[in-house]
Amino acid sequence: MVEEGKGFIFIGPPGSGKGTQAKKLAEFLNYSFISTGDILREEVKRNTKIGKFAKEYMEKGLLVPDDLMLKIIKKNLKKGIRFILDGFPRTIEQAKGLDEILKKKSLKIEKVFYLNVDEDEIIKRLSSRRVCPLCKRIYNLLVERPKNDEICDICNVKLILRDDDKEEVIKKRIEVYKKDTEKLINYYKDKLIEIDGKGEPEKIFENIKNSL
């Protein structure tokens, strides 16, 4: 296992399964799971100043500005933490800012998992994704269906389609990913482990565990 003060990053296109796999690994290792997407969506739900600002970008499929994202990460990364980052960094500028934060807090990235999935699969997955508005559990109507049609297994409430999972927004998110986030593959090449993101989630997770 990895010692304290270290962590993992998950990168990949939208819909590649980063959140699902990052959360599984956090539970498996008992690490802190830090999802910038979850943090921002909670801010939007609470209608905070940050939420109002971020909402304009998220609804258009655009990346939230680097300075705000770095403030969120700095607040959530404590000294000595064992962590897994989901959804961050998404630009080279964010990666460089993260390097500075990690240095100041005596933290280190152990490995970076890159989940590789093609564009057609991404669109199919995301347009089929549903989320519980209460517990935030993510389902997929193709591969991880709820027991009852579009009802959360835990909270027994109707699942929702997130605004950023609508097809027109998905295409914009893919475009933004190719322009900005894809560059991180080369930035982290010395720590990068490429994982085939297609197939059953449990099989993908087994491949991740085997690469630790």
Side-chain angles (χ1 to χ4, degrees):
M1 294 298 179
V2 182
E3 63 190 58
E4 283 196 4
K6 293 186 179 182
F8 300 93
I9 290 174
F10 278 77
I11 64 174
S16 58
K18 297 185 300 295
T20 297
Q21 298 301 332
K23 191 171 288 186
K24 284 178 180 290
L25 188 59
E27 291 171 354
F28 177 70
L29 296 176
N30 195 27
Y31 277 25
S32 295
F33 173 66
I34 301 172
S35 167
T36 51
D38 286 351
I39 293 169
L40 287 172
R41 282 186 286 273
E42 183 60 27
E43 295 285 347
V44 170
K45 182 181 176 182
R46 289 165 48 209
N47 203 32
T48 64
K49 185 177 179 180
I50 290 175
K52 290 176 183 177
F53 180 73
K55 186 178 181 181
E56 295 182 21
Y57 291 86
M58 295 165 70
E59 287 184 343
K60 296 175 183 176
L62 301 174
L63 296 181
V64 175
D66 296 335
D67 57 346
L68 176 57
M69 299 306 299
L70 286 165
K71 285 179 183 176
I72 290 172
I73 288 297
K74 187 175 181 179
K75 181 180 178 182
N76 283 272
L77 283 179
K78 311 295 184 184
K79 283 191 175 182
I81 191 174
R82 294 179 297 171
F83 63 94
I84 292 178
L85 290 178
D86 164 39
F88 186 91
R90 294 198 178 188
T91 67
I92 296 296
E93 290 72 23
Q94 288 179 9
K96 290 178 177 177
L98 175 62
D99 288 343
E100 289 299 312
I101 293 171
L102 295 173
K103 186 177 179 181
K104 289 177 181 177
K105 294 178 181 283
S106 300
L107 301 171
K108 186 179 180 182
I109 297 300
E110 181 73 5
K111 290 184 174 76
V112 177
F113 292 107
Y114 164 49
L115 297 183
N116 192 0
V117 182
D118 63 56
E119 188 170 327
D120 288 342
E121 178 71 14
I122 289 167
I123 293 172
K124 185 169 70 172
R125 278 187 189 181
L126 288 183
S127 59
S128 301
R129 185 161 68 177
R130 299 293 184 272
V131 182
C132 175
L134 299 181
C135 72
K136 309 302 180 187
R137 179 175 176 180
I138 296 173
Y139 298 85
N140 190 290
L141 302 182
L142 297 175
V143 293
E144 290 186 286
R145 297 182 58 86
K147 293 175 183 176
N148 296 311
D149 189 36
E150 300 205 32
I151 300 294
C152 178
D153 295 344
I154 300 169
C155 305
N156 201 35
V157 298
K158 187 170 179 60
L159 304 175
I160 60 172
L161 175 68
R162 292 190 334 211
D163 287 337
D164 56 346
D165 285 340
K166 293 176 180 176
E167 188 166 344
E168 64 274 15
V169 180
I170 293 169
K171 290 180 178 178
K172 181 63 180 178
R173 291 172 65 194
I174 293 171
E175 181 184 319
V176 170
Y177 168 79
K178 289 180 177 179
K179 175 176 173 287
D180 295 314
T181 312
E182 208 166 42
K183 297 173 184 175
L184 293 172
I185 296 169
N186 186 60
Y187 186 85
Y188 286 120
K189 61 183 178 182
D190 293 337
K191 299 176 183 288
L192 197 78
I193 296 177
E194 183 171 342
I195 301 288
D196 185 354
K198 288 179 283 188
E200 293 296 322
E202 287 304 323
K203 177 62 177 176
I204 296 168
F205 185 55
E206 283 301 314
N207 291 338
I208 291 171
K209 286 194 297 183
N210 292 338
S211 69
L212 291 177

